[in-house]
Amino acid sequence: MKAHAGPAEIARVCERIESLGFKPHIIPGEQRTAIGITGNNSPIDPADFEDLPGVAEAIRVSKPYKLVSRETKRENTAVTVNGVRVGCGDLVLCGGPCSVESRDQILECAHAVKAAGAQLLRGGAYKPRTSPYSFQGLGEAGLRYLAEAREATGLGIVTEAIDVETFDLVESYADCVQIGARNMQNFSLLRRAGRSRKPILLKRGMSSTLEEFLMAAEYILADGNYNVILCERGVRTFADHTRNTLDLSVVPAVQSLSHLPIIVDPSHGTGKRDKVLPMALAALAAGAAGLIVEVHPNPEKALSDGYQSLDPAQFAELAEDCRAISALLTSRRRVPVLAN
Ligand code: PEP
Ligand code: MN
């Protein structure tokens, strides 16, 4: 739409789309609103829309992912999580344990990451574990402790939903619902996330291509949830010096193909505590909108992912270094980041 197009003009375009039997998707932007069209099985004639008032141009999206594509929306999308804008050019740090283990543990963690300058708190209450005998998470009690931690610190909560059955519950507590790597192609879960009003953090599957990653995000947008944050968390390769190979080149690759923000998880991306800081800095240098990092008050005693978790002092150091890198990049940015 043209920059000055108002609600009536947008509504008129949506009516035209619906009258043709298709689905309109209103995606607001800083300067102009994009309206995506899905539900067509064959190409649509741009002339059907170009004559409507307020329409700037009608574009055929060439990529298989439509709503996620930068062809649909040129400006970056900033996703707001509990008042924090992810993807607007400011550094966003999310820290916290792999799993919520107890009330004391998550409160201690929340205070520590807050003191270090993080804006968001992570912590799983439902854990996707390789072994059925490993700690599976505290379930609803974990969600309640997370809510208490939010109350105590003001930090927004990012927590994972591992299935459709528990999605409602997770959604009712979370500020942002994580879909983990193992579920990136769980299509019923993606569709449920698409019907959610909460932002979604979609982690890249451990063997997924960029196109599969963006198509997974497309499922969520196609069902009406346009608030998706992508997350690179490492992929499986032959390399065995790390748990996964953090594919930082996917950050600029995503940015050229999609308007959605992308953050990086250097914890799962390396699986090793001493590799987290360097890869966190590299991720920001590569253009990531933020980081999600595992932090535990006592990593040696963690019930999951202790070997890749930082202690609070290490996280504080990481946060400080990240702010330095981020300030340098911001000061050298020639074009301001435009995001809704
Ligand atoms: C996690 O965030 O703890 C997690 C299980 O991540 P991933 O899905 O990336 O393995
Ligand atoms: Mn973990």
Side-chain angles (χ1 to χ4, degrees), residues 2 4-6 19 39 65 84 137 162 219 234 261 286 291:
K2 290 178 178 153
H4 59 73
S19 75
Y65 35 88
V84 177
I162 57 170
Y219 264 87
L291 299 167

Side-chain angles (χ1 to χ4, degrees), residues 96-99 122 124 127-129 160 178 182 203 233 243 265 267-268 294 304-309:
C98 180
S99 306
R122 62 149 292 148
K127 295 304 301 177
R129 301 305 301 277
E160 180 166 352
Q178 174 174 319
R182 290 157 192 78
K203 299 186 94 176
R233 47 77 73 205
R243 180 181 180 184
D265 173 349
S267 306
H268 294 87
E294 288 186 336
S304 59
D305 286 353
Y307 35 86
Q308 66 193 33
S309 300

